[in-house]
Amino acid sequence: MSPFDSLYNQHYNRLRRLAVRMVGNEENADDIVQDTFLVLYEALDKGTTIEYPGTWLYKVTYNKSLDCLHRKKRLLPLETVNRSTIESREASSEEDTTNLEKKEQEALINAILASMKPRERALLVLYSEQCSYKEMAETTGLRFASVGKTLSRALDALEKQLKQHGYEAY
């Protein structure tokens, strides 16, 4: 297996989750991840040595997500999550109800993330992916010393929004 194939298999899903959470659109996220791996392929083809490929890939995905947001200027406002529409669907079984609740929660979290600043959104996504503060700093361009405080503020804002919608953060 080539180094490119290995990196692709190892990082694709995590990069896609980051891109989806950043731009809120699966088609755009797929394009972003594809572009990210194209940049990786070209860098490896030129003989570029990438010391920390995971962090490097996160940074490229983050920057391409920001570019997409700037091009589209389309952030999903929190008000677009219409709880009554989601809840009005009839569930035929307990499993359907559970799936419906998960979809509602996911839609709410995505809407809250979309209402945040891109850097805060990225920190929350990277945090959920269990990245280190060093990786978060390198990906977002924040100083290492600022990551903890910025992440803490983003988590507080997320928790506040969730509480406003009747959910508890844990």
Side-chain angles (χ1 to χ4, degrees):
M1 183 179 291
S2 73
F4 176 84
D5 292 335
S6 176
L7 289 170
Y8 181 87
N9 291 333
Q10 185 178 359
H11 295 285
Y12 177 83
N13 290 330
R14 293 176 74 187
L15 296 177
R16 188 171 185 282
R17 282 192 301 269
L18 171 63
V20 168
R21 290 279 170 97
M22 287 293 297
V23 299
N25 178 304
E26 291 190 13
E27 289 178 19
N28 289 341
D30 289 338
D31 291 343
I32 288 166
V33 175
Q34 182 178 4
D35 289 347
T36 298
F37 281 107
L38 181 61
V39 171
L40 173 65
Y41 183 83
E42 290 171 350
L44 293 175
D45 193 45
K46 290 178 184 176
T48 304
T49 302
I50 301 170
E51 193 169 342
Y52 300 104
T55 303
W56 187 89
L57 287 166
Y58 269 128
K59 185 168 186 83
V60 172
T61 303
Y62 170 75
N63 287 332
K64 290 197 171 293
S65 297
L66 290 179
D67 291 345
C68 180
L69 289 173
H70 292 311
R71 276 193 317 271
K72 299 287 181 183
K73 298 278 186 190
R74 284 184 9 202
L75 294 178
L76 178 66
L78 191 55
E79 294 79 33
T80 61
V81 176
N82 187 342
R83 194 176 220 169
S84 62
T85 302
I86 293 172
E87 291 177 347
S88 67
R89 297 181 195 158
E90 293 183 23
S92 60
S93 69
E94 191 172 305
E95 185 177 312
D96 288 342
T97 302
T98 302
N99 288 337
L100 190 61
E101 289 172 0
K102 286 181 182 180
K103 286 180 182 180
E104 176 186 338
Q105 291 169 356
E106 186 176 322
L108 177 62
I109 290 171
N110 285 336
I112 292 170
L113 288 174
S115 70
M116 299 179 125
K117 294 177 183 173
R119 187 173 280 169
E120 292 172 344
R121 184 179 334 155
L123 285 175
L124 288 171
V125 174
L126 293 170
Y127 178 75
S128 73
E129 294 288 332
Q130 301 176 343
C131 290
S132 69
Y133 278 22
K134 181 181 178 192
E135 289 174 310
M136 291 181 204
E138 290 174 358
T139 299
T140 61
L142 277 172
R143 290 189 348 248
F144 178 80
S146 300
V147 170
K149 189 69 169 174
T150 306
L151 177 60
S152 176
R153 287 181 184 151
L155 286 167
D156 288 345
L158 175 64
E159 182 177 20
K160 181 179 175 183
Q161 290 284 340
L162 287 172
K163 282 183 180 181
Q164 286 178 354
H165 290 83
Y167 290 96
E168 288 291 322
Y170 60 92

